[in-house]
Amino acid sequence: MPVKQLIIQYKTKVKKMANGREYIDFKKTLDRKDTPLKPHEHTYYNSDLFPSIIRRAALKAQNNRAWCYVDELPAGISLDATGFLAVVTITC
């Protein structure tokens, strides 16, 4: 079975600091609904381990940080801030 790349997507609000720089808070609890994968596309999808697998992958992509400036996003993270809520996409 071909292995699909893990993609995590969720919405968050872009916030401003007192100095005017924008930042986002990363989501702390991730679940199956935060990934577009289907049960047949990942071996552990229906396992109780799957939420911890995606949390660990997200933390690795976020460099173990809880927030980040919008202009300094890590390499595997993209942000679409065209709407009221920004869509964060983490590619692991």
Side-chain angles (χ1 to χ4, degrees), residues 3 10-11 16 28 33 43 51 53 59 63-64 83 86:
V3 178
Y10 57 88
K11 294 182 180 183
K16 278 196 174 185
K28 294 179 183 174
K33 65 179 169 57
T43 306
I53 290 171
L59 275 175
N63 298 328
N64 292 325

Side-chain angles (χ1 to χ4, degrees), residues 28-45:
K28 294 179 183 174
T29 57
L30 296 169
D31 202 2
R32 288 175 182 87
K33 65 179 169 57
D34 296 320
T35 181
L37 288 177
K38 303 294 181 211
H40 68 279
E41 295 174 338
H42 197 281
T43 306
Y44 293 106
Y45 186 86

